[in-house]
Amino acid sequence: MEKIGVLGVEFNSLTTAQAVSAALSKDVAADNSAFIVTPNPEIVWLARSDPELKAAIAAAALVLPDGIGIIYGARILGTPLRGRVTGIGFAEECFEQLAAQGKSVFLLGAKPGVAETAGEKLAKRFRGLKIAGIHDGYFTDDDTVIGEINAANADFLLVCLGAPKQELWIYRNRAKLKVPLAACLGGALDVWAGTVKRAPRALQRLGLEWLYRLIKEPKRIGRMMSLPKFLFAVIGVRLRGKNG
Ligand code: UDP
């Protein structure tokens, strides 16, 4: 599979449909602890100074470019990616296929009650999809939660603890988790539950979802300051001719 490096993170260059068929392929499922990550520029920036986060991303079966900044970054580096694959878009296409096969998901993350609502809405929207289990994202005892996940025997685990917590959580616990496939999906449960709205489609198409989120949650400004740093670093790399 073609990979494209952006500041030390190797992204798979795939369309959403290709990413879904790769994720649901036998090759990925054969590796019992396979997981998928969707880093945005903020996470790529963090990974530069956090070796464990970098290792967690490198251990993922698929690294999908969520966030328009990654697409621009790859373009500036002269190695464009095939396209943006949003975590939510990717997961929804997976649900369609899993639902058709009567398969099940485990929803982990978000505030108490949110995953329940998300699960009810997903089960209605994707007829046939089974909700094998649910747990909120505010727990202290990993082993109890891992025990619940393993007992639920789900086909697909969604880990929605926010980045980089979710990537580190799955990386540290992957040997204990018995699920064929997992994906780190940030605030996706809030979107499916309806507690957080996604940007209007026109803004999504323009790649301005981040601006919508910033307007809705101005406290994200601190986190978002890594975006200009990321872009300056990318431009610096291009000018020096070395991607690292
Ligand atoms: N969250 C969680 N446990 C935590 C911290 C956060 O379950 O200890 C949840 C939070 O409730 C929200 C999601 O993780 O549902 C983070 O959403 P956000 O949009 O901030 O994540 P991002 O996609 O930016 O990483």
Side-chain angles (χ1 to χ4, degrees):
M1 253 188 285
E2 191 193 357
K3 289 203 172 168
I4 289 182
V6 179
L7 299 186
V9 170
E10 295 288 319
F11 285 89
N12 291 95
S13 184
L14 300 168
T15 62
T16 300
Q18 288 169 333
V20 171
S21 53
L24 301 180
S25 72
K26 286 207 173 60
D27 297 350
V28 166
D31 171 7
N32 186 42
S33 50
F35 63 97
I36 292 157
V37 294
T38 64
N40 59 15
E42 196 182 309
I43 293 305
V44 170
W45 186 255
L46 261 183
R48 292 193 103 193
S49 57
D50 183 339
E52 193 186 11
L53 179 58
K54 194 167 179 179
I57 296 171
L62 290 175
V63 182
L64 304 174
D66 198 346
I68 196 76
I70 301 293
I71 301 301
Y72 282 136
R75 220 181 274 166
I76 292 167
L77 291 165
T79 49
L81 281 154
R82 197 152 299 167
R84 184 175 166 215
V85 183
T86 67
I88 291 186
F90 164 80
E92 290 180 352
E93 283 199 28
C94 284
F95 294 154
E96 251 167 53
Q97 300 206 16
L98 295 171
Q101 300 165 36
K103 292 203 167 169
S104 64
V105 294
F106 192 107
L107 309 178
L108 173 66
K111 299 208 172 101
V114 173
E116 277 83 352
T117 310
E120 283 160 20
K121 293 199 175 168
L122 290 174
K124 272 200 199 119
R125 188 167 151 204
F126 300 97
R127 292 266 168 212
L129 184 71
K130 296 195 179 77
I131 308 299
I134 275 166
H135 201 291
D136 69 74
Y138 296 85
F139 53 89
T140 46
D141 182 3
D142 285 346
D143 287 340
T144 308
V145 174
I146 292 166
E148 278 182 40
I149 293 170
N150 291 345
N153 238 332
D155 298 293
F156 188 21
L157 167 67
L158 306 191
V159 186
C160 303
L161 305 174
K165 186 172 181 177
Q166 57 199 8
E167 288 79 7
L168 294 170
W169 190 83
I170 201 136
Y171 182 60
R172 288 172 188 157
N173 293 304
R174 72 196 190 288
K176 292 191 229 164
L177 284 164
K178 292 194 183 66
V179 275
L181 185 66
C184 296
L185 290 170
L189 291 173
D190 293 297
V191 171
W192 289 318
T195 48
V196 167
K197 279 213 168 43
R198 252 190 122 174
R201 278 193 190 276
L203 283 186
Q204 285 184 35
R205 271 197 298 273
L206 289 169
L208 291 176
E209 216 162 350
W210 60 272
L211 182 62
Y212 178 83
R213 291 196 74 180
L214 184 59
I215 292 165
K216 290 267 170 185
E217 295 171 69
K219 63 175 191 296
R220 296 180 81 92
I221 189 77
R223 293 175 54 174
M224 280 189 178
M225 285 320 286
S226 55
L227 182 62
K229 290 183 200 153
F230 167 88
L231 286 174
F232 280 127
V234 164
I235 292 165
V237 166
R238 180 66 200 254
L239 294 177
R240 286 196 306 277
K242 193 169 151 271
N243 188 357

